Amino acid sequence: MGCKGDQTRDAILEGALKLASRVGLEGITIGMLSEELALSKSGLFAHFGSKESLQLRTLEYAAARFAQVVVMPALAAPRGEPRVRALFEGLLRWPERVPQPGGCVFVAAAVEFDDRPGPIRDRLREIRREWHAFLAGAVRRAIDAGHFRSDLDPQQFAFEVDGIGLAWHHASRLLDDPKAGERAHRAFEALVAGARAPRR
Amino acid sequence: MGCKGDQTRDAILEGALKLASRVGLEGITIGMLSEELALSKSGLFAHFGSKESLQLRTLEYAAARFAQVVVMPALAAPRGEPRVRALFEGLLRWPERVPQPGGCVFVAAAVEFDDRPGPIRDRLREIRREWHAFLAGAVRRAIDAGHFRSDLDPQQFAFEVDGIGLAWHHASRLLDDPKAGERAHRAFEALVAGARAPRR
DNA sequence: TGTTCGTACGAACGGTCGTTCTATTTTCGC
DNA sequence: GCGAAAATAGAACGACCGTTCGTACGAACA
């Protein structure tokens, strides 16, 4: 079975993820990537057969890493509110845990591909929906555990967490707002407080 | 004074805005744009002198249109909460008011340029900061008018509105969530309710 | 030892990019 | 209407794109 090849391919995917974080999945160039990794263009290309396949594999690699560094550790936290908190904290730390110097690759890809039909958009949408469903599931468990009020809408909660994450990404990266992290946490605390309090 | 040239340039900028909405500011291609507008590549190019200048002008054009269709109409609403609401509603309608088939051009540009130093990033950041400041100003007026509680942080409010807008953009475009609009409104109502209520 | 196969390389392809140059057409004040 | 100036077109450039092809190296297996 391919031993050396697998190592190389993983190294390529790691480089592709970092590169995509900066220039987007579509902005990746086989020339740039091969130069950065000291490989030949054709040698790198041979591992994937097409650019689209490289993009797809990079997306898959990112999803696997995300599961490793934010989903799985959160499962170690107790069910209910603590786990919801762990997911949020993991979300904020994910672009540094798996180095993405240009910001979350899913955010970049979402904006790039939200109107470009094809397998990449399809897979990306799937990944995002899974994340959404997982987050909503954790919220539902928090309701069942009595941490959150029973008439809370988990999907709505997930929607708003998504918004906080995106606003944080935006404020910290483009706006260089030093208070971005603090703002994100305050927003999340307000959200949790509203979820905890009995119906007004 | 340039008469014909100005008309052409405006038509180019309108086309560039629509195109940038789909493929991003960097994704714009002079060939694509000239073909779409039935102009020659060199003829179009002559209006701007460089691609970067075209991008910068497109960004400026978008900012001017944004001021026209969301900021100015909101000024017609009474100060305080109504104006804050008008700004939020205008924000959600802006990509359809000024046709952007691929979604808000500022969102696309923000993700593309948040880590690409240069005049485009600088100008984009300025535009976004102005919007943030304007929104926060409207919130401050709502506090002064007694609509919102006096210890509300206008910047925090603006941060969260930003998040709702981004989450809505994301949910409606990539995820094809039919409830995205409803969710955005519910999130906004919760935000306003929290701003209105006396400190818990 | 010889053969095979997985792996990487170098050269080249047609195509498109942003840009430059030189003409040609169109506009507009006189 | 005329002539200057502005506006547009056309061809070409070097660079880089994704992709293909033929080939060389190295290890595994006969």
Side-chain angles (χ1 to χ4, degrees), chain A residues 2 4-5 8 39-40 42 47:
Chain A
K4 183 70 193 318
T8 309
L39 288 176
S40 70
S42 55
H47 281 276

Side-chain angles (χ1 to χ4, degrees), chain B residues 20-104:
Chain B
S21 151
R22 286 194 285 116
V23 299
L25 261 189
E26 193 66 25
I28 285 184
T29 260
I30 298 186
M32 290 171 63
L33 194 51
S34 67
E35 195 170 342
E36 201 153 312
L37 299 172
L39 288 177
S40 69
K41 241 173 75 171
S42 55
L44 191 154
F45 183 87
H47 280 277
F48 304 95
S50 75
K51 181 180 178 179
E52 191 180 65
S53 166
L54 167 63
Q55 294 171 312
L56 223 34
R57 295 261 212 162
T58 303
L59 197 57
E60 217 61 63
Y61 179 79
R65 301 284 276 148
F66 185 85
Q68 269 175 29
V69 307
V70 2
V71 172
M72 281 190 48
L75 289 177
R79 291 187 182 187
E81 188 185 312
R83 185 171 294 172
V84 173
R85 285 185 177 276
L87 285 172
F88 177 72
E89 296 298 332
L91 190 63
L92 292 197
R93 273 177 182 71
W94 136 256
E96 65 192 23
R97 289 274 176 91
V98 174
Q100 292 165 96
C104 173

Side-chain angles (χ1 to χ4, degrees), chain B residues 7 13 16-17 21 27 37 47 49 51 53 56 63 68 82 116 126 128 138-139 141 150-151 159 178 186 190 197:
Chain B
Q7 288 177 17
L13 289 176
L17 178 55
S21 151
L37 299 172
H47 280 277
K51 181 180 178 179
S53 166
L56 223 34
Q68 269 175 29
R116 229 175 283 193
E126 215 174 289
R128 289 302 260 153
V139 172
R141 285 221 184 80
S150 62
D151 62 344
F159 176 93
R186 279 176 62 189

Side-chain angles (χ1 to χ4, degrees), chain A residues 135-152:
Chain A
L135 183 54
V139 171
R140 173 144 295 287
R141 284 221 184 81
I143 296 173
D144 294 343
H147 299 161
F148 290 165
R149 37 174 247 260
S150 62
D151 62 343
L152 182 69

Side-chain angles (χ1 to χ4, degrees), chain A residues 36-114:
Chain A
E36 202 152 311
L37 298 173
L39 288 176
S40 70
K41 243 173 73 169
S42 55
L44 190 155
F45 183 86
H47 281 276
F48 303 95
S50 74
K51 181 180 178 178
E52 191 179 65
S53 166
L54 167 62
Q55 294 172 312
L56 225 35
R57 294 260 211 162
T58 304
L59 198 55
E60 218 61 61
Y61 180 79
R65 301 284 276 148
F66 185 85
Q68 270 176 28
V69 306
V70 4
V71 172
M72 282 189 46
L75 289 177
R79 290 188 182 186
E81 189 185 312
R83 185 172 296 173
V84 173
R85 286 185 177 277
L87 286 172
F88 176 72
E89 296 298 331
L91 190 63
L92 293 197
R93 274 179 182 68
W94 137 255
E96 65 191 24
R97 288 274 176 92
V98 175
Q100 295 165 91
C104 173
V105 70
F106 296 120
V107 172
V111 172
E112 271 186 297
F113 285 92
D114 65 3

Side-chain angles (χ1 to χ4, degrees), chain A residues 20-21 23-28 51 55 105-117 120-121 124, chain B residues 21-24 102 108 111-112 116 173-174:
Chain A
S21 150
V23 299
L25 261 188
E26 192 67 25
I28 285 184
K51 181 180 178 178
Q55 294 172 312
V105 70
F106 296 120
V107 172
V111 172
E112 271 186 297
F113 285 92
D114 65 3
D115 56 350
R116 231 175 281 192
I120 298 179
R121 178 193 152 128
L124 178 61
Chain B
S21 151
R22 286 194 285 116
V23 299
V111 172
E112 272 186 295
R116 229 175 283 193
R173 297 192 54 77
L174 178 67

